[in-house]
DNA sequence: CATCGTTATGTTTCCACGGACATAACCAGT
DNA sequence: ACTGGTTATGTCCGTGGAAACATAACGATG
């Protein structure tokens, strides 16, 4: 979970998938909470929305990123697949790359902007 | 103008501005064509839309990125200010950073996706 | 002073997207 | 059996943003 609310990159792929902070944080939440609904709650997101995003992601990859099961003592749960962890890690790496190596440019871009009533 | 349609990053700033390939290409088009409408045409974008984007960008920065004039023999025209050129250059640099330094991650992310009927 | 391509702006329509709400299915424990 | 928390899915509606269309202002040039 990136704490800096200023920097946020969204990647557009030719498959039609757009992947940004929202989906990345959701994946990370699922990994940490073991549940789609818990991850959604943590982000102030409805379960409907969280599940939709998971479905979208799973559909855009050759294999699911999230593996889920229902029923049981705890009602069910979800976890990241190897591919899911890989995708999340790659996105985080790109984020970090941008934050670190691109600090100069980002700093200049931010400084040039107006920040009214914010 | 980045030719690779696969990579495209969009930055979200706390000022509320979102800046991605569209605005960057538009700026570059204005720089090269000397006109908002010509830049818009080149991108298959209506003048209305192009101008709206310019207005949005100008409004989000402390100083305009695009300097325009109307009337005259050629009807008018537009050009990038120093700040405009600086912003464009910074965005391009970040794009390049991602493309070069992040090639591994991007490659992996792309390869893992499904590309149906595309 | 008419022309012409451009900047500048208003208005309306359309539609995808998200949010809200509802419901069913599932199943290890007890 | 019943419970409870979760996954899974359907439907409706409001809203923001983009597209489409329309029009005015501008001014060097001829």
């Amino acid at each position: 979970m990136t704490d800096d609310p200023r920097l946020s990159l969204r990647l557009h792929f030719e498959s039609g998938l757009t992947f940004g902070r929202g989906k990345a944080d959701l994946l990370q939440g699922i990994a940490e909470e073991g549940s789609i609904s818990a991850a959604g709650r943590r982000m102030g997101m409805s379960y409907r929305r969280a599940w939709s995003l998971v479905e979208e992601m799973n559909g855009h990859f050759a294999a699911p990123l999230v593996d889920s099961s229902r029923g049981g003592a705890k009602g069910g749960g979800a976890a990241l697949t190897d591919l899911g962890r890989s995708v999340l890690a790659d996105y985080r790496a790109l984020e970090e790359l941008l934050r670190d190596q691109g600090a100069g440019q980002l700093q200049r871009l931010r400084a040039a902007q107006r920040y009214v009533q914010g």
Side-chain angles (χ1 to χ4, degrees), chain A:
Chain A
M1 200 94 93
T2 313
D3 50 337
D4 189 347
R6 291 180 293 221
L7 171 63
S8 135
L9 83 149
R10 171 179 294 184
L11 301 168
H12 288 101
F13 294 97
E14 61 180 348
S15 77
L17 174 70
T18 68
F19 192 96
R21 274 260 311 262
K23 293 203 182 83
D25 287 353
L26 181 60
L27 284 184
Q28 186 164 340
I30 291 172
E32 290 172 7
E33 302 278 350
S35 144
I36 296 177
S37 65
R41 273 196 302 274
R42 195 169 86 169
M43 300 177 63
M45 180 187 299
S46 75
Y47 172 77
R48 187 69 176 87
R49 174 108 185 96
W51 185 84
S52 295
L53 293 176
V54 169
E55 186 194 32
E56 184 190 346
M57 284 188 280
N58 281 345
H60 272 91
F61 284 86
L65 306 190
V66 173
D67 170 39
S68 61
S69 69
R70 52 181 182 177
K74 305 175 57 179
L80 295 197
T81 61
D82 286 344
L83 181 58
R85 274 185 291 271
S86 165
V87 165
L88 177 58
D90 282 337
Y91 176 81
R92 291 300 187 209
L94 293 176
E95 236 180 0
E96 188 185 354
L97 174 65
L98 213 61
R99 239 188 323 116
D100 295 352
Q101 306 285 331
Q105 285 87 356
L106 288 169
Q107 152 73 17
R108 209 174 311 134
L109 286 173
R110 250 188 311 113
Q113 289 175 58
R114 309 175 57 189
Y115 294 92
V116 288
Q117 70 230 21

PDB file of all heavy atoms in Angstrom, chain A residues 20-58:
ATOM      1  N   GLY A  20      -4.325   0.154 -11.959  1.00  0.00           N
ATOM      2  CA  GLY A  20      -3.766   1.260 -11.189  1.00  0.00           C
ATOM      3  C   GLY A  20      -3.728   0.961  -9.703  1.00  0.00           C
ATOM      4  O   GLY A  20      -3.756  -0.198  -9.299  1.00  0.00           O
ATOM      5  N   ARG A  21      -3.692   2.031  -8.913  1.00  0.00           N
ATOM      6  CA  ARG A  21      -3.572   1.881  -7.477  1.00  0.00           C
ATOM      7  C   ARG A  21      -4.729   1.103  -6.874  1.00  0.00           C
ATOM      8  O   ARG A  21      -4.556   0.305  -5.943  1.00  0.00           O
ATOM      9  CB  ARG A  21      -3.530   3.273  -6.816  1.00  0.00           C
ATOM     10  CG  ARG A  21      -2.168   3.898  -6.750  1.00  0.00           C
ATOM     11  CD  ARG A  21      -1.507   3.762  -5.394  1.00  0.00           C
ATOM     12  NE  ARG A  21      -2.301   4.137  -4.249  1.00  0.00           N
ATOM     13  CZ  ARG A  21      -2.231   5.319  -3.633  1.00  0.00           C
ATOM     14  NH1 ARG A  21      -1.417   6.247  -4.082  1.00  0.00           N
ATOM     15  NH2 ARG A  21      -2.966   5.571  -2.585  1.00  0.00           N
ATOM     16  N   GLY A  22      -5.934   1.355  -7.375  1.00  0.00           N
ATOM     17  CA  GLY A  22      -7.103   0.695  -6.821  1.00  0.00           C
ATOM     18  C   GLY A  22      -6.989  -0.817  -6.861  1.00  0.00           C
ATOM     19  O   GLY A  22      -7.099  -1.493  -5.838  1.00  0.00           O
ATOM     20  N   LYS A  23      -6.743  -1.354  -8.039  1.00  0.00           N
ATOM     21  CA  LYS A  23      -6.654  -2.805  -8.171  1.00  0.00           C
ATOM     22  C   LYS A  23      -5.455  -3.355  -7.415  1.00  0.00           C
ATOM     23  O   LYS A  23      -5.527  -4.429  -6.810  1.00  0.00           O
ATOM     24  CB  LYS A  23      -6.565  -3.194  -9.650  1.00  0.00           C
ATOM     25  CG  LYS A  23      -7.852  -2.899 -10.430  1.00  0.00           C
ATOM     26  CD  LYS A  23      -7.963  -3.760 -11.676  1.00  0.00           C
ATOM     27  CE  LYS A  23      -9.221  -3.442 -12.471  1.00  0.00           C
ATOM     28  NZ  LYS A  23      -9.034  -2.281 -13.362  1.00  0.00           N
ATOM     29  N   ALA A  24      -4.350  -2.608  -7.440  1.00  0.00           N
ATOM     30  CA  ALA A  24      -3.162  -3.074  -6.722  1.00  0.00           C
ATOM     31  C   ALA A  24      -3.441  -3.154  -5.216  1.00  0.00           C
ATOM     32  O   ALA A  24      -3.138  -4.161  -4.572  1.00  0.00           O
ATOM     33  CB  ALA A  24      -1.986  -2.142  -6.986  1.00  0.00           C
ATOM     34  N   ASP A  25      -4.030  -2.111  -4.674  1.00  0.00           N
ATOM     35  CA  ASP A  25      -4.339  -2.101  -3.248  1.00  0.00           C
ATOM     36  C   ASP A  25      -5.335  -3.199  -2.902  1.00  0.00           C
ATOM     37  O   ASP A  25      -5.252  -3.823  -1.839  1.00  0.00           O
ATOM     38  CB  ASP A  25      -4.902  -0.739  -2.828  1.00  0.00           C
ATOM     39  CG  ASP A  25      -3.827   0.349  -2.788  1.00  0.00           C
ATOM     40  OD1 ASP A  25      -2.644   0.006  -2.963  1.00  0.00           O
ATOM     41  OD2 ASP A  25      -4.171   1.523  -2.588  1.00  0.00           O
ATOM     42  N   LEU A  26      -6.264  -3.426  -3.818  1.00  0.00           N
ATOM     43  CA  LEU A  26      -7.241  -4.481  -3.578  1.00  0.00           C
ATOM     44  C   LEU A  26      -6.553  -5.839  -3.521  1.00  0.00           C
ATOM     45  O   LEU A  26      -6.814  -6.646  -2.613  1.00  0.00           O
ATOM     46  CB  LEU A  26      -8.307  -4.473  -4.672  1.00  0.00           C
ATOM     47  CG  LEU A  26      -9.406  -5.516  -4.531  1.00  0.00           C
ATOM     48  CD1 LEU A  26     -10.181  -5.338  -3.236  1.00  0.00           C
ATOM     49  CD2 LEU A  26     -10.350  -5.474  -5.722  1.00  0.00           C
ATOM     50  N   LEU A  27      -5.679  -6.095  -4.458  1.00  0.00           N
ATOM     51  CA  LEU A  27      -4.940  -7.356  -4.453  1.00  0.00           C
ATOM     52  C   LEU A  27      -4.164  -7.501  -3.140  1.00  0.00           C
ATOM     53  O   LEU A  27      -4.191  -8.564  -2.496  1.00  0.00           O
ATOM     54  CB  LEU A  27      -3.966  -7.416  -5.632  1.00  0.00           C
ATOM     55  CG  LEU A  27      -4.546  -7.692  -7.012  1.00  0.00           C
ATOM     56  CD1 LEU A  27      -3.437  -7.815  -8.047  1.00  0.00           C
ATOM     57  CD2 LEU A  27      -5.395  -8.965  -6.997  1.00  0.00           C
ATOM     58  N   GLN A  28      -3.498  -6.438  -2.760  1.00  0.00           N
ATOM     59  CA  GLN A  28      -2.709  -6.497  -1.530  1.00  0.00           C
ATOM     60  C   GLN A  28      -3.609  -6.729  -0.316  1.00  0.00           C
ATOM     61  O   GLN A  28      -3.271  -7.505   0.590  1.00  0.00           O
ATOM     62  CB  GLN A  28      -1.924  -5.196  -1.352  1.00  0.00           C
ATOM     63  CG  GLN A  28      -0.970  -5.236  -0.172  1.00  0.00           C
ATOM     64  CD  GLN A  28       0.052  -4.121  -0.239  1.00  0.00           C
ATOM     65  OE1 GLN A  28       0.277  -3.561  -1.308  1.00  0.00           O
ATOM     66  NE2 GLN A  28       0.658  -3.801   0.885  1.00  0.00           N
ATOM     67  N   GLY A  29      -4.769  -6.086  -0.317  1.00  0.00           N
ATOM     68  CA  GLY A  29      -5.722  -6.273   0.776  1.00  0.00           C
ATOM     69  C   GLY A  29      -6.181  -7.720   0.863  1.00  0.00           C
ATOM     70  O   GLY A  29      -6.296  -8.284   1.953  1.00  0.00           O
ATOM     71  N   ILE A  30      -6.448  -8.318  -0.283  1.00  0.00           N
ATOM     72  CA  ILE A  30      -6.868  -9.717  -0.309  1.00  0.00           C
ATOM     73  C   ILE A  30      -5.751 -10.607   0.235  1.00  0.00           C
ATOM     74  O   ILE A  30      -5.997 -11.523   1.026  1.00  0.00           O
ATOM     75  CB  ILE A  30      -7.245 -10.141  -1.743  1.00  0.00           C
ATOM     76  CG1 ILE A  30      -8.536  -9.429  -2.168  1.00  0.00           C
ATOM     77  CG2 ILE A  30      -7.416 -11.648  -1.835  1.00  0.00           C
ATOM     78  CD1 ILE A  30      -8.904  -9.608  -3.630  1.00  0.00           C
ATOM     79  N   ALA A  31      -4.541 -10.309  -0.174  1.00  0.00           N
ATOM     80  CA  ALA A  31      -3.397 -11.097   0.303  1.00  0.00           C
ATOM     81  C   ALA A  31      -3.274 -11.002   1.820  1.00  0.00           C
ATOM     82  O   ALA A  31      -3.014 -11.993   2.493  1.00  0.00           O
ATOM     83  CB  ALA A  31      -2.112 -10.600  -0.361  1.00  0.00           C
ATOM     84  N   GLU A  32      -3.509  -9.822   2.354  1.00  0.00           N
ATOM     85  CA  GLU A  32      -3.300  -9.604   3.783  1.00  0.00           C
ATOM     86  C   GLU A  32      -4.501 -10.016   4.630  1.00  0.00           C
ATOM     87  O   GLU A  32      -4.346 -10.440   5.771  1.00  0.00           O
ATOM     88  CB  GLU A  32      -2.969  -8.126   4.044  1.00  0.00           C
ATOM     89  CG  GLU A  32      -1.595  -7.731   3.519  1.00  0.00           C
ATOM     90  CD  GLU A  32      -1.349  -6.230   3.596  1.00  0.00           C
ATOM     91  OE1 GLU A  32      -2.199  -5.520   4.183  1.00  0.00           O
ATOM     92  OE2 GLU A  32      -0.322  -5.774   3.078  1.00  0.00           O
ATOM     93  N   GLU A  33      -5.704  -9.881   4.057  1.00  0.00           N
ATOM     94  CA  GLU A  33      -6.901 -10.167   4.832  1.00  0.00           C
ATOM     95  C   GLU A  33      -7.424 -11.581   4.577  1.00  0.00           C
ATOM     96  O   GLU A  33      -8.193 -12.105   5.380  1.00  0.00           O
ATOM     97  CB  GLU A  33      -8.004  -9.151   4.489  1.00  0.00           C
ATOM     98  CG  GLU A  33      -7.618  -7.684   4.720  1.00  0.00           C
ATOM     99  CD  GLU A  33      -7.776  -7.292   6.178  1.00  0.00           C
ATOM    100  OE1 GLU A  33      -8.359  -8.088   6.943  1.00  0.00           O
ATOM    101  OE2 GLU A  33      -7.321  -6.190   6.559  1.00  0.00           O
ATOM    102  N   GLY A  34      -7.093 -12.134   3.451  1.00  0.00           N
ATOM    103  CA  GLY A  34      -7.583 -13.461   3.123  1.00  0.00           C
ATOM    104  C   GLY A  34      -9.037 -13.478   2.714  1.00  0.00           C
ATOM    105  O   GLY A  34      -9.698 -14.507   2.769  1.00  0.00           O
ATOM    106  N   SER A  35      -9.535 -12.315   2.291  1.00  0.00           N
ATOM    107  CA  SER A  35     -10.947 -12.225   1.938  1.00  0.00           C
ATOM    108  C   SER A  35     -11.201 -11.011   1.050  1.00  0.00           C
ATOM    109  O   SER A  35     -10.648  -9.927   1.289  1.00  0.00           O
ATOM    110  CB  SER A  35     -11.777 -12.130   3.218  1.00  0.00           C
ATOM    111  OG  SER A  35     -12.888 -11.296   3.060  1.00  0.00           O
ATOM    112  N   ILE A  36     -12.050 -11.204   0.065  1.00  0.00           N
ATOM    113  CA  ILE A  36     -12.389 -10.095  -0.833  1.00  0.00           C
ATOM    114  C   ILE A  36     -13.193  -9.043  -0.087  1.00  0.00           C
ATOM    115  O   ILE A  36     -12.941  -7.844  -0.212  1.00  0.00           O
ATOM    116  CB  ILE A  36     -13.210 -10.608  -2.039  1.00  0.00           C
ATOM    117  CG1 ILE A  36     -12.368 -11.570  -2.885  1.00  0.00           C
ATOM    118  CG2 ILE A  36     -13.704  -9.453  -2.884  1.00  0.00           C
ATOM    119  CD1 ILE A  36     -13.121 -12.190  -4.050  1.00  0.00           C
ATOM    120  N   SER A  37     -14.146  -9.504   0.695  1.00  0.00           N
ATOM    121  CA  SER A  37     -15.018  -8.542   1.381  1.00  0.00           C
ATOM    122  C   SER A  37     -14.241  -7.741   2.414  1.00  0.00           C
ATOM    123  O   SER A  37     -14.433  -6.537   2.545  1.00  0.00           O
ATOM    124  CB  SER A  37     -16.197  -9.258   2.031  1.00  0.00           C
ATOM    125  OG  SER A  37     -15.758 -10.124   3.047  1.00  0.00           O
ATOM    126  N   ALA A  38     -13.336  -8.409   3.137  1.00  0.00           N
ATOM    127  CA  ALA A  38     -12.531  -7.688   4.133  1.00  0.00           C
ATOM    128  C   ALA A  38     -11.633  -6.660   3.458  1.00  0.00           C
ATOM    129  O   ALA A  38     -11.493  -5.528   3.938  1.00  0.00           O
ATOM    130  CB  ALA A  38     -11.686  -8.668   4.936  1.00  0.00           C
ATOM    131  N   ALA A  39     -11.048  -7.068   2.349  1.00  0.00           N
ATOM    132  CA  ALA A  39     -10.192  -6.136   1.609  1.00  0.00           C
ATOM    133  C   ALA A  39     -11.013  -4.932   1.147  1.00  0.00           C
ATOM    134  O   ALA A  39     -10.558  -3.791   1.233  1.00  0.00           O
ATOM    135  CB  ALA A  39      -9.563  -6.845   0.415  1.00  0.00           C
ATOM    136  N   GLY A  40     -12.214  -5.228   0.651  1.00  0.00           N
ATOM    137  CA  GLY A  40     -13.090  -4.153   0.207  1.00  0.00           C
ATOM    138  C   GLY A  40     -13.448  -3.220   1.345  1.00  0.00           C
ATOM    139  O   GLY A  40     -13.349  -2.002   1.213  1.00  0.00           O
ATOM    140  N   ARG A  41     -13.846  -3.789   2.442  1.00  0.00           N
ATOM    141  CA  ARG A  41     -14.205  -2.975   3.610  1.00  0.00           C
ATOM    142  C   ARG A  41     -13.063  -2.053   3.992  1.00  0.00           C
ATOM    143  O   ARG A  41     -13.258  -0.868   4.261  1.00  0.00           O
ATOM    144  CB  ARG A  41     -14.549  -3.884   4.795  1.00  0.00           C
ATOM    145  CG  ARG A  41     -15.995  -4.336   4.839  1.00  0.00           C
ATOM    146  CD  ARG A  41     -16.357  -4.887   6.223  1.00  0.00           C
ATOM    147  NE  ARG A  41     -15.526  -6.007   6.633  1.00  0.00           N
ATOM    148  CZ  ARG A  41     -15.769  -7.275   6.325  1.00  0.00           C
ATOM    149  NH1 ARG A  41     -16.821  -7.581   5.589  1.00  0.00           N
ATOM    150  NH2 ARG A  41     -14.972  -8.241   6.739  1.00  0.00           N
ATOM    151  N   ARG A  42     -11.887  -2.636   4.046  1.00  0.00           N
ATOM    152  CA  ARG A  42     -10.716  -1.859   4.438  1.00  0.00           C
ATOM    153  C   ARG A  42     -10.509  -0.633   3.541  1.00  0.00           C
ATOM    154  O   ARG A  42     -10.004   0.395   3.985  1.00  0.00           O
ATOM    155  CB  ARG A  42      -9.475  -2.765   4.354  1.00  0.00           C
ATOM    156  CG  ARG A  42      -8.276  -2.217   5.051  1.00  0.00           C
ATOM    157  CD  ARG A  42      -7.197  -3.273   5.165  1.00  0.00           C
ATOM    158  NE  ARG A  42      -6.355  -3.322   3.971  1.00  0.00           N
ATOM    159  CZ  ARG A  42      -5.212  -4.005   3.902  1.00  0.00           C
ATOM    160  NH1 ARG A  42      -4.804  -4.706   4.942  1.00  0.00           N
ATOM    161  NH2 ARG A  42      -4.507  -4.007   2.814  1.00  0.00           N
ATOM    162  N   MET A  43     -10.922  -0.765   2.305  1.00  0.00           N
ATOM    163  CA  MET A  43     -10.742   0.353   1.383  1.00  0.00           C
ATOM    164  C   MET A  43     -12.000   1.208   1.273  1.00  0.00           C
ATOM    165  O   MET A  43     -12.075   2.113   0.440  1.00  0.00           O
ATOM    166  CB  MET A  43     -10.378  -0.182  -0.009  1.00  0.00           C
ATOM    167  CG  MET A  43      -9.100  -0.987  -0.054  1.00  0.00           C
ATOM    168  SD  MET A  43      -8.794  -1.653  -1.714  1.00  0.00           S
ATOM    169  CE  MET A  43      -8.610  -0.152  -2.680  1.00  0.00           C
ATOM    170  N   GLY A  44     -13.001   0.891   2.088  1.00  0.00           N
ATOM    171  CA  GLY A  44     -14.244   1.642   2.006  1.00  0.00           C
ATOM    172  C   GLY A  44     -14.969   1.379   0.695  1.00  0.00           C
ATOM    173  O   GLY A  44     -15.611   2.258   0.135  1.00  0.00           O
ATOM    174  N   MET A  45     -14.866   0.156   0.236  1.00  0.00           N
ATOM    175  CA  MET A  45     -15.430  -0.218  -1.055  1.00  0.00           C
ATOM    176  C   MET A  45     -16.480  -1.300  -0.829  1.00  0.00           C
ATOM    177  O   MET A  45     -16.304  -2.175   0.011  1.00  0.00           O
ATOM    178  CB  MET A  45     -14.292  -0.757  -1.916  1.00  0.00           C
ATOM    179  CG  MET A  45     -14.672  -1.214  -3.306  1.00  0.00           C
ATOM    180  SD  MET A  45     -13.248  -2.004  -4.126  1.00  0.00           S
ATOM    181  CE  MET A  45     -12.077  -0.653  -4.160  1.00  0.00           C
ATOM    182  N   SER A  46     -17.563  -1.226  -1.559  1.00  0.00           N
ATOM    183  CA  SER A  46     -18.594  -2.236  -1.410  1.00  0.00           C
ATOM    184  C   SER A  46     -18.069  -3.576  -1.897  1.00  0.00           C
ATOM    185  O   SER A  46     -17.189  -3.641  -2.769  1.00  0.00           O
ATOM    186  CB  SER A  46     -19.832  -1.858  -2.208  1.00  0.00           C
ATOM    187  OG  SER A  46     -19.629  -2.062  -3.591  1.00  0.00           O
ATOM    188  N   TYR A  47     -18.648  -4.656  -1.338  1.00  0.00           N
ATOM    189  CA  TYR A  47     -18.211  -5.969  -1.791  1.00  0.00           C
ATOM    190  C   TYR A  47     -18.491  -6.132  -3.276  1.00  0.00           C
ATOM    191  O   TYR A  47     -17.668  -6.690  -4.013  1.00  0.00           O
ATOM    192  CB  TYR A  47     -18.925  -7.081  -1.022  1.00  0.00           C
ATOM    193  CG  TYR A  47     -18.636  -8.433  -1.621  1.00  0.00           C
ATOM    194  CD1 TYR A  47     -17.424  -9.072  -1.389  1.00  0.00           C
ATOM    195  CD2 TYR A  47     -19.562  -9.056  -2.454  1.00  0.00           C
ATOM    196  CE1 TYR A  47     -17.140 -10.295  -1.963  1.00  0.00           C
ATOM    197  CE2 TYR A  47     -19.286 -10.273  -3.031  1.00  0.00           C
ATOM    198  CZ  TYR A  47     -18.078 -10.894  -2.784  1.00  0.00           C
ATOM    199  OH  TYR A  47     -17.798 -12.094  -3.361  1.00  0.00           O
ATOM    200  N   ARG A  48     -19.649  -5.615  -3.709  1.00  0.00           N
ATOM    201  CA  ARG A  48     -20.002  -5.697  -5.122  1.00  0.00           C
ATOM    202  C   ARG A  48     -18.897  -5.151  -6.001  1.00  0.00           C
ATOM    203  O   ARG A  48     -18.504  -5.739  -7.004  1.00  0.00           O
ATOM    204  CB  ARG A  48     -21.286  -4.895  -5.372  1.00  0.00           C
ATOM    205  CG  ARG A  48     -21.834  -5.036  -6.770  1.00  0.00           C
ATOM    206  CD  ARG A  48     -22.353  -6.430  -6.933  1.00  0.00           C
ATOM    207  NE  ARG A  48     -22.993  -6.643  -8.231  1.00  0.00           N
ATOM    208  CZ  ARG A  48     -22.342  -6.998  -9.320  1.00  0.00           C
ATOM    209  NH1 ARG A  48     -21.042  -7.135  -9.279  1.00  0.00           N
ATOM    210  NH2 ARG A  48     -22.985  -7.221 -10.437  1.00  0.00           N
ATOM    211  N   ARG A  49     -18.425  -3.982  -5.623  1.00  0.00           N
ATOM    212  CA  ARG A  49     -17.368  -3.338  -6.418  1.00  0.00           C
ATOM    213  C   ARG A  49     -16.075  -4.144  -6.368  1.00  0.00           C
ATOM    214  O   ARG A  49     -15.448  -4.379  -7.407  1.00  0.00           O
ATOM    215  CB  ARG A  49     -17.134  -1.925  -5.893  1.00  0.00           C
ATOM    216  CG  ARG A  49     -15.983  -1.202  -6.526  1.00  0.00           C
ATOM    217  CD  ARG A  49     -16.438  -0.109  -7.450  1.00  0.00           C
ATOM    218  NE  ARG A  49     -15.344   0.518  -8.165  1.00  0.00           N
ATOM    219  CZ  ARG A  49     -14.967   0.189  -9.392  1.00  0.00           C
ATOM    220  NH1 ARG A  49     -15.603  -0.766 -10.031  1.00  0.00           N
ATOM    221  NH2 ARG A  49     -13.979   0.809  -9.985  1.00  0.00           N
ATOM    222  N   ALA A  50     -15.691  -4.543  -5.163  1.00  0.00           N
ATOM    223  CA  ALA A  50     -14.446  -5.298  -5.011  1.00  0.00           C
ATOM    224  C   ALA A  50     -14.499  -6.571  -5.855  1.00  0.00           C
ATOM    225  O   ALA A  50     -13.552  -6.900  -6.573  1.00  0.00           O
ATOM    226  CB  ALA A  50     -14.219  -5.638  -3.541  1.00  0.00           C
ATOM    227  N   TRP A  51     -15.599  -7.268  -5.781  1.00  0.00           N
ATOM    228  CA  TRP A  51     -15.715  -8.508  -6.522  1.00  0.00           C
ATOM    229  C   TRP A  51     -15.675  -8.260  -8.033  1.00  0.00           C
ATOM    230  O   TRP A  51     -15.070  -9.024  -8.784  1.00  0.00           O
ATOM    231  CB  TRP A  51     -17.008  -9.235  -6.140  1.00  0.00           C
ATOM    232  CG  TRP A  51     -17.088 -10.576  -6.805  1.00  0.00           C
ATOM    233  CD1 TRP A  51     -16.526 -11.741  -6.370  1.00  0.00           C
ATOM    234  CD2 TRP A  51     -17.706 -10.863  -8.049  1.00  0.00           C
ATOM    235  NE1 TRP A  51     -16.768 -12.746  -7.282  1.00  0.00           N
ATOM    236  CE2 TRP A  51     -17.494 -12.233  -8.311  1.00  0.00           C
ATOM    237  CE3 TRP A  51     -18.435 -10.092  -8.964  1.00  0.00           C
ATOM    238  CZ2 TRP A  51     -17.985 -12.854  -9.455  1.00  0.00           C
ATOM    239  CZ3 TRP A  51     -18.918 -10.709 -10.117  1.00  0.00           C
ATOM    240  CH2 TRP A  51     -18.697 -12.077 -10.337  1.00  0.00           C
ATOM    241  N   SER A  52     -16.313  -7.176  -8.460  1.00  0.00           N
ATOM    242  CA  SER A  52     -16.287  -6.828  -9.879  1.00  0.00           C
ATOM    243  C   SER A  52     -14.864  -6.615 -10.368  1.00  0.00           C
ATOM    244  O   SER A  52     -14.496  -7.054 -11.462  1.00  0.00           O
ATOM    245  CB  SER A  52     -17.108  -5.566 -10.138  1.00  0.00           C
ATOM    246  OG  SER A  52     -18.476  -5.788  -9.863  1.00  0.00           O
ATOM    247  N   LEU A  53     -14.079  -5.934  -9.573  1.00  0.00           N
ATOM    248  CA  LEU A  53     -12.696  -5.679  -9.955  1.00  0.00           C
ATOM    249  C   LEU A  53     -11.913  -6.980 -10.048  1.00  0.00           C
ATOM    250  O   LEU A  53     -11.128  -7.196 -10.981  1.00  0.00           O
ATOM    251  CB  LEU A  53     -12.039  -4.726  -8.953  1.00  0.00           C
ATOM    252  CG  LEU A  53     -12.594  -3.301  -8.948  1.00  0.00           C
ATOM    253  CD1 LEU A  53     -11.939  -2.470  -7.861  1.00  0.00           C
ATOM    254  CD2 LEU A  53     -12.422  -2.649 -10.306  1.00  0.00           C
ATOM    255  N   VAL A  54     -12.141  -7.857  -9.077  1.00  0.00           N
ATOM    256  CA  VAL A  54     -11.467  -9.157  -9.096  1.00  0.00           C
ATOM    257  C   VAL A  54     -11.855  -9.935 -10.354  1.00  0.00           C
ATOM    258  O   VAL A  54     -10.988 -10.491 -11.049  1.00  0.00           O
ATOM    259  CB  VAL A  54     -11.826  -9.976  -7.842  1.00  0.00           C
ATOM    260  CG1 VAL A  54     -11.365 -11.408  -7.992  1.00  0.00           C
ATOM    261  CG2 VAL A  54     -11.198  -9.341  -6.609  1.00  0.00           C
ATOM    262  N   GLU A  55     -13.142  -9.925 -10.650  1.00  0.00           N
ATOM    263  CA  GLU A  55     -13.612 -10.636 -11.836  1.00  0.00           C
ATOM    264  C   GLU A  55     -12.959 -10.072 -13.093  1.00  0.00           C
ATOM    265  O   GLU A  55     -12.520 -10.806 -13.973  1.00  0.00           O
ATOM    266  CB  GLU A  55     -15.141 -10.501 -11.941  1.00  0.00           C
ATOM    267  CG  GLU A  55     -15.743 -11.333 -13.054  1.00  0.00           C
ATOM    268  CD  GLU A  55     -17.184 -10.927 -13.351  1.00  0.00           C
ATOM    269  OE1 GLU A  55     -17.519  -9.738 -13.189  1.00  0.00           O
ATOM    270  OE2 GLU A  55     -17.968 -11.806 -13.747  1.00  0.00           O
ATOM    271  N   GLU A  56     -12.893  -8.736 -13.147  1.00  0.00           N
ATOM    272  CA  GLU A  56     -12.286  -8.072 -14.302  1.00  0.00           C
ATOM    273  C   GLU A  56     -10.818  -8.497 -14.445  1.00  0.00           C
ATOM    274  O   GLU A  56     -10.362  -8.831 -15.541  1.00  0.00           O
ATOM    275  CB  GLU A  56     -12.395  -6.562 -14.129  1.00  0.00           C
ATOM    276  CG  GLU A  56     -11.872  -5.773 -15.314  1.00  0.00           C
ATOM    277  CD  GLU A  56     -11.780  -4.283 -15.008  1.00  0.00           C
ATOM    278  OE1 GLU A  56     -12.357  -3.850 -13.991  1.00  0.00           O
ATOM    279  OE2 GLU A  56     -11.108  -3.569 -15.776  1.00  0.00           O
ATOM    280  N   MET A  57     -10.114  -8.474 -13.329  1.00  0.00           N
ATOM    281  CA  MET A  57      -8.690  -8.840 -13.376  1.00  0.00           C
ATOM    282  C   MET A  57      -8.515 -10.287 -13.789  1.00  0.00           C
ATOM    283  O   MET A  57      -7.734 -10.606 -14.692  1.00  0.00           O
ATOM    284  CB  MET A  57      -8.043  -8.591 -12.010  1.00  0.00           C
ATOM    285  CG  MET A  57      -7.762  -7.129 -11.726  1.00  0.00           C
ATOM    286  SD  MET A  57      -6.794  -6.874 -10.219  1.00  0.00           S
ATOM    287  CE  MET A  57      -8.046  -7.014  -8.946  1.00  0.00           C
ATOM    288  N   ASN A  58      -9.240 -11.159 -13.147  1.00  0.00           N
ATOM    289  CA  ASN A  58      -9.128 -12.583 -13.475  1.00  0.00           C
ATOM    290  C   ASN A  58      -9.387 -12.832 -14.956  1.00  0.00           C
ATOM    291  O   ASN A  58      -8.714 -13.645 -15.586  1.00  0.00           O
ATOM    292  CB  ASN A  58     -10.105 -13.399 -12.636  1.00  0.00           C
ATOM    293  CG  ASN A  58      -9.591 -13.639 -11.228  1.00  0.00           C
ATOM    294  OD1 ASN A  58      -8.404 -13.446 -10.958  1.00  0.00           O
ATOM    295  ND2 ASN A  58     -10.477 -14.045 -10.335  1.00  0.00           N
TER     296      ASN A  58
END
